[in-house]
Amino acid sequence: MASGAVGDLYQSLIQMTGVSVVGTTDAAGFPASNVLDWQHPSLRWQSDNLTGDKTLVFDLSATPPNYVGFYIRGVNFTSAFLQAHATDSWGAPTHNVAISFSTDSYVKRMQAAFFYLVARTTINLRFARLRIPAGTGVNDGATGYKVGIMVPMVSTVEVENRAPLRRVVTKGVIGNRLVGGAEDVAAVGFRQMTLEFPWTWMWDTTTSPAFNEEANMLALATDREIPVVVVPNLNRQYEAYLGRNVGDVQIESDAGIGASMALIIREIG
């Protein structure tokens, strides 16, 4: 399907417990552990040079979770490989997926949700790796490769996409009103996405319906403290946002025959 076609809405929790990561030739002050610090996306991993292959190797513990792939944000390169294997040996990994990044025109950065399998089913191999091959270029003139956030995605919900979806893009600034009416404005952060889903559906009055849309919607309505990856349109995996639900769960019935439940997801950082 073309990138503009409507695709399913996808949401996933992220796994942090028991996950560790090691990078090759970390630059001073930019350790690999920064990519797991999802609450501070301005922190990052950075390699100390652009020479040879560079990797981030994730150990998901001796009892790895069932995960579908990784959410990756804040890179300065356009291609790499996402791999997974039972052991920390990479001669012939079980999964070796070529991935590519595009700039999200809304927030002006490169990010994406990447899956190991086309069907987005789970795997549970202990080790995962991001491999940036030798010769891969950067788009910002830096002397090292950068990754802001990279976290595994688990416990997913996928539902049929539907209008309307409201996107609100904000950016923190400091303003100073000057004599004569001029105003100085300075940016103090990144662009940030807020997704608003004013969802409505009809009650299914049958017992144990085969398709329970109410259950799907409640699964999307996470608590405020829980971070989720949201992809509003799976045909545009580069429009993927790590955020939190910022509203209360409110279900309003319409004369007993339908209901609405607004979801508001605000991007972190």
Side-chain angles (χ1 to χ4, degrees), residues 29-30 34-35 37 40-45 73-74 147-149 190:
F30 299 98
N34 281 350
V35 302
D37 190 354
H40 300 93
S42 59
L43 299 178
R44 66 175 185 270
W45 167 76
R73 168 179 165 174
V147 178
I149 298 174
F190 302 105

Side-chain angles (χ1 to χ4, degrees), residues 76-153:
N76 64 341
F77 49 91
T78 58
S79 62
F81 289 89
L82 182 61
Q83 303 172 321
H85 201 56
T87 63
D88 190 9
S89 176
W90 301 98
T94 304
H95 297 285
N96 184 38
V97 182
I99 62 175
S100 60
F101 294 89
S102 299
T103 299
D104 179 342
S105 58
Y106 291 105
V107 293
K108 307 297 185 184
R109 80 173 80 94
M110 291 197 294
Q111 64 213 0
F114 294 110
F115 306 97
Y116 283 105
L117 299 172
V118 174
R120 296 181 290 281
T121 49
T122 61
I123 65 173
N124 65 347
L125 298 173
R126 175 171 181 172
F127 292 93
R129 186 171 81 150
L130 178 71
R131 182 174 77 87
I132 309 167
T136 301
V138 297
N139 60 10
D140 62 353
T143 58
Y145 298 111
K146 301 175 183 178
V147 178
I149 298 174
M150 184 169 176
V151 287
M153 298 185 296

Side-chain angles (χ1 to χ4, degrees), residues 56-88:
L56 287 170
V57 178
F58 294 78
D59 184 344
L60 280 72
S61 82
T63 55
N66 294 318
Y67 59 102
V68 294
F70 276 78
Y71 171 77
I72 307 176
R73 168 179 165 174
V75 303
N76 64 341
F77 49 91
T78 58
S79 62
F81 289 89
L82 182 61
Q83 303 172 321
H85 201 56
T87 63
D88 190 9

